Amino acid sequence: MAAETIVQAGNSSPAVKELEGALSRIGLTTAHKQIIALILVGCLFDSFEQNTIGVIGPMLKSQWSLTGTDIGFLNTITFASAALGRLMSGIIGDRYGRRVMLAINLLLFTIGSAACAIAPSFTFLCFARAIVGFGVGGEISTAVTMLAEFCSPKFRGMAAGMVNVAAGGFGNFLAPAFGLLVFTIFPGNDGWRWLFASLALPALLVVFYRRLVPETPRFLLSQNRIKEANGVLSRLASGSLANRDVAVTAYLTETGTTSPAPKSAWRDLFKMPYLGRTISVAIAILMSYGAQLSVLTLMPSIFVSMGYTYSGSLLYSMIIQSGSVLGAIAASCFGYYFPRKKVLTLGAILACLAALSIVYLGVNIYLVLLFGAVFQFFVLLLNTSIWVYAPELYPTRIRGFGVAFILATGSAAGSIFPTIAGSLFDSHGLVGVFVLAAVMYAIFAFCIQLGPETYGKSMEDVTKPAEGDNAPLDVAPANA
């Protein structure tokens, strides 16, 4: 894998060099910030939606006489559908464009949330959760791909990482507070319906605003749509997405001859040179997501087993989750400054040590909370850094599916490892859960060594430096 033969992926193309040089010269403008803001708002509410079942679980159990297995099944449906949504969105997005899938996924998310709000039965709610999961899964993988493709070689890591700042960081941390806010405004037995309804409305608003977001210039170039790519680059340089009448600058040279656009061959993901990196990174994210979801699922039960009340256990779990926000923010910043493999390797080693510290040094609640927050810091540092790393592993023609496949593997972890961790908790308590997490991060650190380094490399060929890397970094025009 580490010694896999690299096939040239188009870095020698003059147009690719022109594009990467143009993105570096344009830098970070207000138009980029508008795109990032619109995408992150959607990802924040996507995260709220994924946490909803946990928030409303007690209400549903009481009203519909559901079991804990029924509540868990709703999450299983959501995660399984999210994995499928990511894969399908990747395939379609590579063929028809990122922007198309962004709109479709938002529409599915909105329809699914509205259907959950009016669900008359458990069976109906299961189908509605499948729709939500499909939309949410495709939304996040498409968002990661788009932000990486809109930005300059230096800034793309930070931009892609910000998706998980909104989703995995602030989203997971604020989801319980958002639920409590809705229940305060709409008290009573139907509070859970109002929660679903409130999650549908922001999605509709984001759909309206995202009409301003153009197709990525990298995808347009991959389809030989040079004129359109120049138009998007000119809008980015102008500093305003609303400025559709901006004078078009010929950042990319139109040759006058049109060669056939390369087809999106998703099967190439499982051929050399991409097979090695796909397998290694997919195993790594399976380990990281599996450890995170296992701990998140069992943490309240762990605190209860330590003798604390249910409300106290939720409070302690939120304290530990505070480390997630800082970890996601740190990963986004590190994406600008540091090589990907170094961040991922060191983060995995420290996550392993943090898990073992909880077991062997957590002699009181204060140390458990401290080491738990540190553990969550490195968990989100790793998960966010994987999101930064994934879009850079593949050329544009298969990038959408490549990112989707890796993130779908992470979603699959949600239906596998919490069950294993639960069994270990029943037999070995807290020790079993966190020793398992430590082992999983050790495997993560090993797998990352098998992939290529992508920091400062071309997004079309990781053996070549990104064109324009030596230009002044992200110096925005005066109207930025």
Side-chain angles (χ1 to χ4, degrees), residues 91-302:
I91 293 173
I92 298 172
D94 281 339
R95 182 174 293 271
Y96 299 107
R98 324 307 191 195
R99 186 170 178 268
V100 171
M101 288 313 303
L102 199 65
I104 291 175
N105 288 320
L106 276 168
L107 180 61
L108 289 173
F109 170 84
T110 304
I111 292 173
S113 295
C116 288
I118 62 172
S121 66
F122 178 73
T123 301
F124 188 97
L125 184 59
C126 287
F127 282 109
R129 294 306 297 171
I131 297 173
V132 167
F134 196 98
V136 166
E139 160 94 1
I140 291 179
S141 62
T142 302
V144 172
T145 302
M146 288 188 75
L147 289 184
E149 291 184 347
F150 268 120
C151 296
S152 66
K154 279 291 185 182
F155 188 74
R156 71 192 184 207
M158 179 179 285
M162 290 181 70
V163 174
N164 212 29
V165 173
F170 285 104
N172 287 339
F173 180 68
L174 295 176
F178 181 76
L180 290 174
L181 175 63
V182 173
F183 297 153
T184 301
I185 298 173
F186 301 102
N189 293 333
D190 288 332
W192 63 272
R193 296 186 185 275
W194 286 107
L195 179 57
F196 280 126
S198 67
L199 291 172
L201 292 176
L204 287 172
L205 183 63
V206 174
V207 169
F208 175 78
Y209 282 113
R210 284 192 186 176
R211 294 174 59 187
L212 297 173
V213 178
E215 184 55 79
T216 71
R218 284 189 181 274
F219 177 80
L220 294 172
L221 176 59
S222 75
Q223 299 297 304
N224 291 322
R225 292 155 62 179
I226 306 298
K227 184 176 181 179
E228 293 177 63
N230 278 328
V232 172
L233 289 170
S234 299
R235 286 176 66 190
L236 293 175
S238 75
S240 176
L241 294 178
N243 189 2
R244 295 177 177 272
D245 298 325
V246 63
V248 177
T249 300
Y251 291 99
L252 310 179
T253 303
E254 296 188 58
T255 61
T257 60
T258 303
S259 58
K263 293 183 178 180
S264 169
W266 62 269
R267 295 179 185 84
D268 288 354
L269 203 69
F270 308 104
K271 300 177 182 177
M272 301 302 287
Y274 309 113
L275 177 62
R277 64 189 74 167
T278 298
I279 293 175
S280 60
V281 178
I283 293 174
I285 200 170
L286 184 70
M287 295 295 104
S288 187
Y289 269 59
Q292 179 197 20
L293 293 172
S294 296
V295 172
L296 286 179
T297 301
L298 293 172
M299 212 59 229
S301 297
I302 289 174

Side-chain angles (χ1 to χ4, degrees), residues 447-461:
C447 289
I448 286 300
Q449 308 315 306
L450 305 179
E453 180 55 70
T454 60
Y455 179 70
K457 304 295 185 180
S458 170
M459 291 187 79
E460 305 306 321
D461 183 353

